[in-house]
Amino acid sequence: MVSGTTNPPCAPTPSPGCALCATPGDFGPHKPTEPHSGLCPACVAAGKPTRDGLEQAVVIVAGQSLAAAEALSLADAAPEELAYHFGAVKRSLRSLLQLLAPVNGQGGR
């Protein structure tokens, strides 16, 4: 057992870009206890993400879910793992389809 770890549990994590919209650049570390840490100036000024930022975030998460599902060995996977990855891919696909759906202002599904 190693004593005296160098990273406490809530240590800031370095980020290669904006933590919200994934804009490339160095915007400082993301600190879970500080709401605007790791955000680009545009996201901080807007106070909320733009549609482009949200679209990019959905695509990134969908790609990560798909990559994790592709890495899963079907022959060795437990039923719980299959269900988890199938659900993650399904949610990612739903999010991508919602991005492509026309915005009609009616709020209906």
Side-chain angles (χ1 to χ4, degrees):
M1 184 171 179
V2 177
S3 63
T5 61
T6 58
N7 292 331
C10 291
T13 56
S15 176
C18 178
L20 189 59
C21 68
T23 300
D26 184 16
F27 304 109
H30 175 68
K31 300 175 187 173
T33 57
E34 295 180 22
H36 296 292
S37 67
L39 299 181
C40 68
C43 286
V44 171
K48 61 181 181 177
T50 63
R51 176 152 176 98
D52 290 338
L54 285 173
E55 289 175 356
Q56 187 176 8
V58 167
V59 170
I60 289 170
V61 170
Q64 291 171 343
S65 296
L66 185 58
E70 287 176 339
L72 184 66
S73 172
L74 296 178
D76 299 330
E80 295 84 14
E81 288 178 291
L82 293 173
Y84 170 80
H85 286 289
F86 178 74
V89 170
K90 184 176 89 171
R91 286 186 299 275
S92 295
L93 180 59
R94 181 182 300 134
S95 297
L96 287 171
L97 291 174
Q98 286 174 348
L99 285 177
L100 299 174
V103 178
N104 59 12
Q106 299 298 323
R109 287 186 170 223

